[in-house]
Each structure stands twice: as C-alpha cells, then as structure tokens.
Amino acid sequence: MKDPVDVLIIGAGASGAAVAWSLAETKMHILCLEQGGWMNPAEYPSTGRDWEAKFYGEWSSSPNVRGRPEDYPINDDNSPIKVVNYNAVGGSTVMYTAHWPRLHPSDFKVKTLDGVADDWPIDYDALTPFFEENDRMMGTSGLSGDPVSPLTHPPMPQQPLGLSGAILGKAMNKLGWHWWPSDTTVATMDYEGRARCINLGHCTPACAQGAKSSTDITYWPHAVRAGVELRTHCRVREITTDENGMASGVVYYDKDGIEQFQPAHVVIIACNGVGTPRLLLNSASARFPNGLANSSGLVGKNLMFHPYAQIYGYVKEPTDSNRAPPTCLWSKEWYDTDLSRGFVRGYGVQFVRGAGPVFEAVVSEQKGILPWGEDHHRVFRKLNGHRLGFSAICEDLPEEHNCVTLDPVLKDNHGIPAPKINYTISENSQKMMDHALARGREVLETAGATDICINSPIPWGGWHLLGTARMGTDPKRSVVNEWGRTHDVKNLFIVDGSVFVTSGGVNPTSTIQAIALYVADQMKQRLANLFD
Amino acid sequence: MSADNQLTRTQRDDLRTVAAMIVPASDEYKVPGADDPAIQADMLATLGRDTKLVAAALDHLARLAGQPLAELDAAKRDAVAQEFRSSGGTAAATLVRVVLQCYYRDDQVLRSLGLELRAPFPKGYVLPDGDWSLLDPVRARGGALRRAP
Ligand SMILES: Cc1cc2nc3c(=O)[nH]c(=O)nc-3n(C[C@H](O)[C@H](O)[C@H](O)COP(=O)(O)OP(=O)(O)OC[C@H]3O[C@@H](n4cnc5c(N)ncnc54)[C@H](O)[C@@H]3O)c2cc1C
Ligand code: SF4
C-alpha cells in the first residue's frame, strides 16, 4: 500500500493550483491528482494556419466534442446551455477568456438586500487579501479606479482600447452608460518570466505566447518548486471513508489505467461545479448512501451557469477582428437590482472585439446573413473584420431543480458514471436576458451597427459552473461550512466554484481562486485542530 | 456508404459541386471558388473526425438531387441546396463549415481579403492604444458601489 499523504488535492485547475501553492509553505506532503496532463504550448492552435478550424474539433471548448482521453462525457441534453471546460494541468483556465471581474460586496448579501436566495456566510472583506494575492500570482492587467466596481490594483496596465474599444466606448458615452477597461489576466508587460501579449487574438483555446494566465504557467511552477507533488493522468473514481466517517483516501486510475488507492489525512476537492458533485455522488457508501457529504441532499443541486445573452452586429469601420484578445471593456450599468426593470438582481457586460475569418464565415452562414452563391463575397467583406459584440453575464439564482446527477447509462473511458445536467432558465433570468438584449441593441445601433444577431443563451456557454456544493453555516441547507470544510466529513474540503451560494453577474474565476486561497489560509490557521 | 476515413468518388464530386455553390469563383474579387483543386485537396486531407458527418450530408444531398448534383440545371440545383440546408441538420452544418474553414485559410483568398498568410503566432499583431480621454465622461459621472450591510 502507498504511504499516506498529508493533503491530497483532486484537480489541478484554477482552484486546485491556488490551494496547492498556498498550502505548500506548511511543508506537509501535498499530492495533487489530475486526470489531464501538462500542456505543450508549441501545439496550441495559434501556431498553425488551421488555428480557427481546431476550435471545431480537438480544441473545442466542449468535452463532448473534443473527446480527448483526458475528458469525461457530460450528458447535457436536458439543458439549453452546454457545459464547456478543459481537463489538464491548468484546468479550464487553459481555455478561459481571461476576463477578470470580481464579485461585488453586495453579491454576498443578496437575501438581506433583495430578499432572494441566501446570504453567504462570508463577506467580501474576508476575501479582500486573497483577491489581492491572487491578482499578483495570476498577473492581472487593468486600470484601477472604476467608480462602480470593487477597487483593484492590477500590477500591469490595461489592454489597449484598440479599434473596437474606441467605437464601443464612444457609443456608451453617447448613451451616458458606464463602461471601463476590463481587468484581465492577460499580461500586458513581461511579467514574472512570462512574455507579454502580442495580440494573437486566440486566447480562448490557449495562448501560445504564455501571456494569458492559466494556472499551469502561474501557480503550478511555484507550487511544484515548493515541493507539491503533481501526478498527472490520474482520474479519481471515489473518495473512501473509514469507520469514523473520515475521508481515508481516494481510488484512482493511473496513467496506465490501473486502479490505485492513495491514502490521505486530508482530501481537498477542486474538480469544478460539475466534476465535484459527480465525484461526491459517486463516492456513495453504506455510511453515506446518498453520496459523500450529502446529508443536506444539496450535493449537485442549485447549479448556476450565468446564462449569457449575447448580441452582436457589424459597423462600417474596421474593428479589431481576431487581432486582439477578445476581452476588452466591461459595463456595470445594470449590475444592481432595480425592480422597475421587471427582475431582481442584474448583469455585468463583457464587450467583444470581433472574430476571425473562419469563425465569421461559419457563424454568419448559420445565422442566414451570409448567403451562398455570387453575393457571398460582397457580404463576407462587409461582415469580416467589422463585428462588435455585447455579452451580458446574467446572474442565475440558485434553484434546486437545476442540478448535476449521475447518468445511469453514460460512462467515461474508465467506466465512471458521467454527470447529467438538468437545467432550465428561470423567468427572472429570462427577463434579465431580454432586458440585456434590448440594451445591447441600443449600444450597437448607436455605434452604427447593422445585421444584428442574437445568441440568447449562448448555447455553448456553460463555462461558469457554480453552486453545487454550497457554503453555509446550517448543515441542513449547505454542503460546506464557512471555511470550505464539508459539514459531514471533517477532513474533506471543497475549494472550487461549487461552493458559491449565489453567482453574481460577473465571470467567477477571480472569486473562485480567492476562496481557494482563503480556505487554505483558514486551514493553515487551524492546523492544530483542523478536525474539531 | 463510404469508409470511415474517406469519401467515395461520387461523394467527392458532389462535395466539389456544392462547395462551388456555397462559394463560387469571382473575377471581381480575384478569388477562386471553393471547388478550387487546392482547396478541395485541403478539405479531403483534413476531413479527419468530420468525415462521417460530411459523408452523411453528401448522401442526404444525393438523395435530394436524385442524380449527380452537377448534372442538375441551375434552378433545380438551387432548390436542392435550399432543401439540403434547411433539412440537413448537424451533418449539413458540418459540411458547410468544412468548406468554409478550408476556403478561408487559402492563400489566394486571404490575399484578396488583405490578410497575412501566416499563423497568428509568433508574430502577433499590433493594436492601437486608443484615446483614453474617452473615459473622462465615465469618470465625471462617477457612481458608487452598492453597499453591503
Ligand atoms: C471557454 C471558456 C471560457 C471561460 N472564460 C472565463 C473568463 O473569461 N473569466 C472567468 O472568470 N472564467 C472563465 N471561464 C471559467 C473558468 O475557466 C473556470 O471558472 C475555472 O477554471 C474554474 O476553476 P475550478 O478550479 O473550479 O475548475 P477547473 O479549472 O475546471 O479545474 C478542475 C480540474 O479538475 C480535474 N478533474 C475533474 N475531475 C477529476 C477527477 N475525477 N480526477 C482527477 N482530476 C479531475 C479536471 O481535469 C480539471 O483540470 C471560462 C471557461 C471556459 C471553458
Ligand atoms: S491575444 Fe494575447 S493573451 Fe490572447 S492568445 Fe494572443 S498573446 Fe495570448
């Protein structure tokens, strides 16, 4: 049998990397098991002439389309929003778009402020030092001083406004609406051994330049140097428990597909809002018949996606097209509750700079605005390099029927049941999305855009996976306590987006990682009585 | 039916015909059609995981046409194309995407669009910094973070 490790982390993505790095200073024996491998930037799509085509196959953001051996299938037939992710060292940050807002202080108190959902058991102030630490570790760029967003101190200047940003900014000014250059995790200067962004424009399916901060090139090199052991191509099947109901280790399949048992004194799950409930549900036993840490029945429930309402159009002047990171500006004009709009809570906006030629052709043909035949060339020249977009990140409220369960039939290549998603867009979210589309249309028309198209929701937009092992002080109403430990198993922790109580109206990863660092800090402070 | 990794001769002929219907050659824009031999060769060489769906789409197209697509008169061919696009589902969408993704990376086509013939990496692109005084009205309007109790 293998020697037990002090801490076993499952998943080497955004949160797993942060928690591993933070705990490394304790000099405990820390092991991370990750089902994917290390990435090779020389193979990233932007290094080849077929860079755009790759996004439809092996570099799709959907694991179901990609179908790499490192991926697991997801049954999302019962959801208008499909799950997207990446499974490797770096996790979904290998594929994320690097837009970097934080939850607002008010997002932690939605019940008190707006009478819906629940308040978080922690507040923004508890996370402030960890937001700052995380921004330094990931390397953020931005412009401090946005009057309506939490104050940030990005170590690098904001991205250029570019052609698209200038057009959008002018339109927003005409309408008198708030906008600001986005904080992003795109390095705008050489930073900590990483080269600055050179506008390859293909950030989402991985950055060959290393300017986009994925955790394989930020946290992990530091964590490994500090002594953390990272075992790749190891897929965890279940977490085991002992006669006292404590986690005793994990059963996993190693790179040769051989079943292994790894004992551990502490287990931390960082598999994201779909992978984590899948693992807990698959760890059912006689003592935990409904899945591990699931006495509340809430493991897998309250899935929140952030339905994206996207609207885009085409202006006469050239835009940045694919020659810049897609992220650019944000707006918080409609972030806070205003009941006169017909819905509670709100949305942040992420503006989109443009698209590359293949993507433009494929999508526009599908939308019916790019014809077949003789007129194809004229119309394509009108569209290509002229696109501007407006994407609203709508706050999804927690609803128990939106959930992750285990699929009774579908399995991954190790025979582990696949996750199954049941999700519907609520009436409140739908009203919010409709509101956003109307505002987006005003912005685009003010900018002079025509041929306006809508994706609402963005069907392949299940990139924010939140709420499926929520945090709270009441063990009947939550899965983990206010410092990330499961109520039911005192040496089992969760640090990924599953613990979100509500979702806010912004991309979540900055907050996910701040929570992971905060939980690590709580653990370090309590090492002597961690299991009390 | 074709083998998993290649198209039959008939399927290849129909692919060439339908590709030219999607993107015909143009003297005005100095571009070949998507039936250009180099673009067709690129399509066939890189079909890969799309082969099955593209073959299914071409079989569907052949059923609608009832004979080789190239032999239909123009009006009939257009009617078949419309029916194919509206009833062809994922397979038809995949075929169109394969045609477009190979067309819009061809040298002659990129040249005509004024785009450079290269991968984005390692040269990248230059982005104008822009006029940040555009933010002055936003600063002047100000605002405040909603307070949390
Ligand atoms: C296309 C796309 C665009 C995005 N854009 C943005 C953005 O602009 N801004 C933003 O804030 N967020 C964005 N996101 C979301 C962001 O990537 C996630 O919020 C973040 O990565 C989640 O962190 P995590 O640690 O919870 O999970 P992940 O980063 O997904 O990491 C989970 C890891 O666990 C591993 N794992 C899972 N199950 C097992 C198992 N059983 N055994 C072993 N290993 C396992 C996985 O392989 C994976 O590496 C985007 C995501 C995608 C896919
Ligand atoms: S635009 Fe910048 S961050 Fe994005 S892929 Fe290119 S170099 Fe990387």
Side-chain angles (χ1 to χ4, degrees):
Chain A
M1 188 162 110
K2 291 184 164 61
D3 286 340
V5 294
D6 296 316
V7 179
L8 191 152
I9 300 167
I10 311 167
S15 58
V19 81
W21 170 79
S22 177
L23 289 177
E25 66 170 324
T26 62
K27 301 294 172 207
M28 292 189 287
H29 184 179
I30 301 169
L31 167 68
C32 177
L33 297 178
E34 164 56 50
Q35 66 190 343
W38 283 96
M39 301 304 296
N40 177 3
E43 292 170 359
Y44 285 174
S46 60
T47 59
R49 283 282 295 274
D50 56 352
W51 55 285
E52 287 191 280
K54 291 239 168 91
F55 199 56
Y56 296 102
E58 69 211 79
W59 277 94
S60 168
S61 53
S62 161
N64 293 343
V65 175
R66 258 185 341 252
R68 296 156 70 242
E70 294 84 353
D71 294 316
Y72 54 94
I74 298 174
N75 179 351
D76 46 21
D77 292 347
N78 283 341
S79 172
I81 299 176
K82 310 299 176 192
V83 176
V84 295
N85 67 11
Y86 204 75
N87 299 304
V89 177
S92 302
T93 65
V94 171
M95 274 225 128
Y96 77 156
T97 310
H99 201 240
W100 207 245
R102 304 173 177 177
L103 284 191
H104 288 207
S106 54
D107 290 325
F108 295 83
K109 302 288 170 204
V110 300
K111 178 84 171 174
T112 305
L113 286 170
D114 293 323
V116 291
D118 285 299
D119 288 347
W120 290 55
I122 55 172
D123 60 18
Y124 181 87
D125 290 344
L127 296 181
T128 305
F130 306 104
F131 276 123
E132 298 293 325
E133 183 169 49
N134 192 48
D135 280 4
R136 273 193 311 277
M137 286 301 293
M138 291 294 277
T140 57
S141 60
L143 179 67
S144 203
D146 179 352
V148 300
S149 296
L151 183 63
T152 61
H153 304 96
M156 287 175 273
Q158 74 272 23
Q159 287 179 25
L161 199 50
L163 304 172
S164 304
I167 302 169
L168 288 162
K170 278 181 200 154
M172 291 297 278
N173 283 351
K174 265 193 200 156
L175 293 162
W177 287 340
H178 169 264
W179 63 278
W180 199 259
S182 300
D183 282 8
T184 70
T185 42
V186 167
T188 51
M189 304 174 347
D190 293 352
Y191 188 77
E192 307 258 319
R194 291 194 289 120
R196 73 191 161 84
C197 171
I198 49 169
N199 302 308
L200 304 177
H202 211 42
C203 314
T204 302
C207 172
Q209 168 82 345
K212 184 184 83 169
S213 312
S214 47
T215 61
D216 55 328
I217 58 170
T218 56
Y219 277 107
W220 273 117
H222 293 286
V224 169
R225 222 174 296 132
V228 176
E229 184 189 351
L230 174 51
R231 236 177 260 165
T232 57
H233 292 108
C234 293
R235 178 174 283 150
V236 176
R237 185 184 73 200
E238 62 183 283
I239 299 160
T240 53
T241 48
D242 63 17
E243 61 285 2
N244 301 315
M246 299 284 273
S248 53
V250 304
V251 178
Y252 72 95
Y253 296 99
D254 69 15
K255 63 178 183 350
D256 301 316
I258 298 177
E259 186 178 313
Q260 304 279 359
F261 176 66
Q262 175 62 57
H265 297 307
V266 171
V267 174
I268 301 178
I269 318 179
C271 294
N272 81 35
V274 169
T276 290
R278 175 199 191 203
L279 190 54
L280 289 171
L281 294 172
N282 203 48
S283 301
S285 60
R287 188 175 184 133
F288 298 100
N290 299 322
L292 196 56
N294 195 20
S295 64
S296 64
L298 291 176
V299 167
K301 304 261 174 74
N302 297 305
L303 172 67
M304 296 173 282
F305 269 142
H306 284 145
Y308 264 60
Q310 186 182 62
I311 180 161
Y312 61 92
Y314 301 86
V315 289
K316 286 216 168 59
E317 48 285 49
T319 63
D320 296 321
S321 174
N322 62 297
R323 294 183 293 268
T327 52
C328 164
L329 314 174
W330 67 36
S331 172
K332 307 285 181 72
E333 181 70 27
W334 305 280
Y335 198 77
D336 295 326
T337 295
D338 174 350
L339 291 177
S340 71
R341 296 178 190 141
F343 55 87
V344 68
R345 307 297 298 158
Y347 56 90
V349 174
Q350 176 178 342
F351 289 97
V352 182
R353 289 189 197 261
V358 168
F359 184 81
E360 190 59 74
V362 171
V363 171
S364 296
E365 194 276 345
Q366 281 170 3
K367 288 280 184 201
I369 58 170
L370 177 63
W372 290 24
E374 217 166 281
D375 209 24
H376 179 96
H377 300 289
R378 184 190 64 80
V379 176
F380 186 70
R381 279 153 183 76
K382 191 174 77 150
L383 304 177
N384 186 50
H386 294 272
R387 179 192 281 238
L388 287 178
F390 172 109
S391 298
I393 309 162
C394 296
E395 173 162 354
D396 227 356
L397 290 168
E399 295 177 278
E400 288 190 21
H401 63 91
N402 289 334
C403 62
V404 179
T405 57
L406 294 180
D407 193 280
V409 180
L410 189 66
K411 294 189 169 36
D412 67 21
N413 53 8
H414 290 103
I416 306 171
K420 178 171 192 234
I421 312 294
N422 282 299
Y423 176 88
T424 49
I425 293 173
S426 71
E427 202 183 317
N428 192 65
S429 295
Q430 189 58 56
K431 284 185 183 158
M432 202 184 293
M433 294 163 79
D434 294 343
H435 183 272
L437 293 176
R439 299 295 80 72
R441 185 177 288 277
E442 284 184 70
V443 177
L444 292 170
E445 287 178 352
T446 302
T450 56
D451 294 295
I452 287 174
C453 298
I454 284 171
N455 292 313
S456 184
I458 296 182
W460 300 97
W463 28 53
H464 303 159
L465 311 171
L466 307 169
T468 49
R470 68 201 322 239
M471 189 182 255
T473 48
D474 179 357
K476 291 199 186 67
R477 296 289 313 141
S478 56
V479 178
V480 298
N481 70 10
E482 65 277 21
W483 45 283
R485 192 178 74 179
T486 63
H487 292 298
D488 299 351
V489 183
K490 293 200 183 317
N491 62 344
L492 179 64
F493 294 78
I494 303 175
V495 292
D496 57 55
S498 313
V499 304
F500 274 44
V501 180
T502 54
S503 65
V506 289
N507 321 59
T509 311
S510 164
T511 309
I512 290 175
Q513 289 184 304
I515 291 171
L517 293 176
Y518 157 81
V519 171
D521 185 67
Q522 292 287 314
M523 291 173 76
K524 285 187 279 192
Q525 288 185 35
R526 297 166 197 256
L527 275 184
N529 50 2
L530 195 58
F531 308 142
D532 287 356
Chain B
M1 246 336 266
S2 53
D4 264 6
N5 58 354
Q6 58 186 32
L7 304 180
T8 63
R9 188 183 184 90
T10 316
Q11 287 170 335
R12 288 202 304 267
D13 288 347
D14 281 348
L15 175 63
R16 203 167 43 246
T17 310
V18 74
M21 292 172 70
I22 299 170
V23 197
S26 162
D27 289 339
E28 186 183 351
Y29 294 101
K30 298 193 178 47
V31 283
D35 56 344
D36 175 82
I39 298 171
Q40 285 290 306
D42 183 17
M43 269 179 229
L44 294 175
T46 58
L47 261 185
R49 59 164 77 205
D50 295 320
T51 309
K52 250 192 170 152
L53 279 174
V54 169
L58 290 165
D59 290 346
H60 177 57
L61 195 59
R63 273 195 301 278
L64 292 174
Q67 57 180 303
L69 205 53
E71 289 169 19
L72 294 180
D73 64 46
K76 185 87 202 304
R77 221 186 305 154
D78 284 347
V80 166
Q82 271 192 16
E83 172 62 18
F84 168 71
R85 199 61 187 96
S86 60
S87 67
T90 312
T94 304
L95 183 148
V96 176
R97 192 249 300 155
V98 162
V99 169
L100 293 172
Q101 79 192 16
C102 292
Y103 187 77
Y104 282 108
R105 66 183 180 217
D106 175 75
D107 287 359
Q108 293 183 66
V109 176
L110 292 185
R111 239 181 247 122
S112 155
L113 289 167
L115 301 174
E116 294 173 67
L117 313 183
R118 62 174 174 92
F121 187 79
K123 195 171 156 205
Y125 300 96
V126 176
L127 197 60
D129 192 39
D131 173 10
W132 285 107
S133 71
L134 276 175
L135 263 186
D136 292 349
V138 184
R139 285 201 173 94
R141 258 195 319 277
L145 257 187
R146 189 177 186 195
R147 280 165 54 102

